[in-house]
Amino acid sequence: MGASCKDQKKAVAICLQRSPCVMIERHTPQQCIDDPKLNKDLPELCLAQMKAFLDCKTGMVDMSKRMRGNAPLSTGKYDQQYEKLCEGKFDPREEMKKLEMLDSERKD
């Protein structure tokens, strides 16, 4: 059951790495989450993915889900993107465009 939130965790990490708070202002993802001033500027997509991740973590200790499980196990959907971002093998401008595109689709 510990791996059931792996995809949500990586999606949050990728979104935070693409956010202006990290890419432009050069804060750490943890600072962007913890500081209320920085947290206001996070894209809606990141906040939605963070909520999904926290709901998944909450579901891990929810006794009503004890028998059927929290969620499907990780699919590895975000593994390659996550590794590229962690290793620094990305173009910041391209990542910002991806985030803006994903965030605009979410608002429509």
Side-chain angles (χ1 to χ4, degrees):
M1 210 151 63
S4 66
C5 299
K6 184 178 175 184
D7 282 343
Q8 287 93 343
K9 182 179 180 180
K10 287 189 177 183
V12 170
I14 289 169
C15 191
L16 286 173
Q17 287 292 340
R18 290 178 176 165
S19 71
C21 181
V22 174
M23 293 288 250
I24 297 172
E25 298 172 16
R26 307 305 294 167
H27 296 288
T28 65
Q30 188 66 45
Q31 289 172 336
C32 295
I33 293 170
D34 292 340
D35 189 356
K37 293 178 187 175
L38 300 175
N39 199 344
K40 291 178 187 175
D41 297 330
L42 286 177
E44 292 293 323
L45 178 64
C46 293
L47 297 175
Q49 288 177 338
M50 180 131 10
K51 183 181 181 327
F53 173 65
L54 293 175
D55 288 345
C56 181
K57 294 297 272 188
T58 303
M60 290 177 72
V61 295
D62 186 4
M63 290 307 286
S64 67
K65 296 181 182 180
R66 183 173 64 98
M67 294 304 285
R68 59 187 157 95
N70 186 26
L73 292 177
S74 173
T75 60
K77 179 179 177 180
Y78 299 106
D79 289 347
Q80 188 177 14
Q81 285 179 323
Y82 182 74
E83 291 300 321
K84 283 183 180 179
L85 286 170
C86 288
E87 294 171 0
K89 298 178 181 176
F90 63 92
D91 179 24
R93 289 182 182 93
E94 185 178 318
E95 296 298 323
M96 288 292 294
K97 287 179 186 176
K98 287 179 186 177
L99 180 64
E100 288 171 2
M101 183 182 70
L102 290 171
D103 203 32
S104 67
E105 287 175 3
R106 182 70 98 170
K107 291 178 182 176
D108 292 341

